[in-house]
């Protein structure tokens, strides 16, 4: 599967953005999807995860209550709605996919087989 993330930009603290990740192929619904982010000089970190059916979602503590991950399998797209953005949310955001990922491994970036190119999110104070 090929992934393309978009929707990033510059926003003031307290604002909102919605990221999208479009997937190619007919088997999108068979992939578990994740969002990660990487700030300059820092390691890539887990942000959110959604299971194949969209019935279960998981979040990093740092974004819980502010970010929402969702998916539309008919459109082969996963979304990340980001509200109440903070300057510390500034990073390049990546979407990732894996067919067989177990829940206990969802925060590990190396467990995902497919990655999008990343989209920059900058939050000004």
């Amino acid at each position: 599967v090929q992934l393309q993330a978009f929707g990033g930009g510059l926003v003031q603290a307290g604002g909102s953005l919605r990221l999208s990740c479009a997937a190619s192929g007919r088997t999108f619904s068979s992939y578990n999807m994740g969002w990660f982010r990487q700030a300059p000089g820092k390691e890539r970190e887990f942000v959110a995860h959604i299971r194949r059916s969209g019935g279960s979602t998981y979040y990093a503590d740092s974004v819980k209550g502010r970010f929402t991950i969702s998916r539309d399998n008919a459109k082969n797209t996963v979304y990340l709605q980001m509200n109440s953005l903070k300057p510390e949310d500034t990073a390049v955001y990546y979407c990732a996919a894996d067919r067989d990922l177990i829940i206990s491994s969802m925060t590990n970036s190396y467990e995902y087989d497919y990655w999008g190119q990343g989209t920059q999110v900058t939050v000004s104070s």
Side-chain angles (χ1 to χ4, degrees):
V1 62
Q2 291 184 324
L3 305 174
Q4 184 174 6
F6 53 96
L10 174 64
V11 63
Q12 289 188 334
S16 299
L17 280 175
R18 188 175 82 155
L19 305 183
S20 300
C21 176
S24 64
R26 301 181 181 180
T27 59
F28 175 73
S29 61
S30 65
Y31 287 87
N32 302 295
M33 302 296 297
W35 284 98
F36 287 76
R37 66 187 182 186
Q38 188 167 17
K42 295 187 177 181
E43 293 187 352
R44 191 168 297 189
E45 66 172 359
F46 169 77
V47 175
H49 179 88
I50 188 167
R51 305 302 283 173
R52 294 186 188 92
S53 66
S56 297
T57 57
Y58 307 86
Y59 299 92
D61 288 342
S62 59
V63 307
K64 201 172 294 182
R66 300 188 297 121
F67 290 12
T68 302
I69 188 172
S70 62
R71 67 190 296 162
D72 185 337
N73 287 341
K75 295 183 177 180
N76 284 9
T77 302
V78 63
Y79 304 97
L80 186 68
Q81 177 66 45
M82 305 185 295
N83 299 329
S84 301
L85 283 161
K86 305 175 181 180
E88 52 264 43
D89 294 319
T90 295
V92 177
Y93 283 71
Y94 299 89
C95 57
D98 193 272
R99 191 189 294 268
D100 301 316
L101 191 66
I102 60 176
I103 292 175
S104 61
S105 298
M106 64 178 174
T107 62
N108 298 325
S109 60
Y110 56 83
E111 295 284 354
Y112 292 77
D113 287 339
Y114 303 98
W115 289 84
Q117 83 287 3
T119 184
Q120 176 71 47
V121 172
T122 303
V123 184
S124 62
S125 57

